[in-house]
């Protein structure tokens, strides 16, 4: 007897469950690298800061899709952990600019190395064309999530 193929809703929910499992594992690994000092969303913030020389909190809020209050709280926690430093904005003294500390830069490097190891392990047997398609579909879905927040 041949098993029935998945229905589209089953397939879609299965994909979401797989993404959830992957994200949970990656988050656990990253928290482990930071001795548990990272909260949900901190990895995205640290990666965003790693690509800059410093960023105003308002710009960070816009790019992360978070409220100004949410980013401010996150910055306070990351500053207490010694991963970022905040200073007054050069032109707008009401605003603060956040930048990674040396410890923050080292953590981002470890996070990227470990993420690369995990990705290589997860996708080691996946042919390039399937991996490329997964990348396209994942980016499309992420874009829809981003647009839905606005």
């Amino acid at each position: 007897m041949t098993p029935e193929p998945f229905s589209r809703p089953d397939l879609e929910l299965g994909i979401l469950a797989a993404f959830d499992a992957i994200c949970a594992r990656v988050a656990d690994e990253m928290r482990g690298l930071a001795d548990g000092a990272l909260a949900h969303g901190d990895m995205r913030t640290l990666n965003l800061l790693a690509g800059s020389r410093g960023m105003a909190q308002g710009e960070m809020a816009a790019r992360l899709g978070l409220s100004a209050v949410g980013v401010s709280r996150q910055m306070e926690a990351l500053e207490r952990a010694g991963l970022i430093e905040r200073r007054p904005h050069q032109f707008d003294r009401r605003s603060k600019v956040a930048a990674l500390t040396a410890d923050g830069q080292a953590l981002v490097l470890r996070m990227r190395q470990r993420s690369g190891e995990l990705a290589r392990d997860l996708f080691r047997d996946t042919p390039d064309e399937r991996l490329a398609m997964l990348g396209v579909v994942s980016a499309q879905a992420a874009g829809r999530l981003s647009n839905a927040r606005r």
Side-chain angles (χ1 to χ4, degrees), residues 78-109:
L78 291 171
E79 193 170 35
R80 279 192 306 274
L83 299 173
I84 67 155
E85 60 186 5
R86 294 187 294 174
R87 59 186 181 275
H89 191 281
Q90 181 179 353
F91 303 111
D92 181 0
R93 295 292 178 198
R94 297 169 297 165
S95 182
K96 293 200 176 192
V97 173
L100 294 177
T101 62
D103 285 348
Q105 291 171 355
L107 176 59
V108 168
L109 180 61

Side-chain angles (χ1 to χ4, degrees), residues 127-137:
D128 289 350
E129 61 276 359
R130 283 187 162 186
L131 202 52
M133 181 58 70
L134 178 61
V136 168
V137 172

Side-chain angles (χ1 to χ4, degrees), residues 45 48-72 74-75 84-100:
T45 301
L48 178 63
L49 286 174
S52 73
R53 289 192 167 138
M55 189 174 295
Q57 288 182 200
E59 181 182 354
M60 290 176 60
R63 294 190 54 189
L64 294 169
L66 300 173
S67 70
V69 171
V71 168
S72 183
Q74 189 178 45
M75 294 299 99
I84 67 155
E85 60 186 5
R86 294 187 294 174
R87 59 186 181 275
H89 191 281
Q90 181 179 353
F91 303 111
D92 181 0
R93 295 292 178 198
R94 297 169 297 165
S95 182
K96 293 200 176 192
V97 173
L100 294 177

Side-chain angles (χ1 to χ4, degrees), residues 25-43:
R25 173 65 187 275
V26 170
D28 285 348
E29 293 275 340
M30 298 307 113
R31 275 192 290 279
L33 291 174
D35 297 324
L38 294 179
H40 182 70
D42 289 346
M43 294 164 280

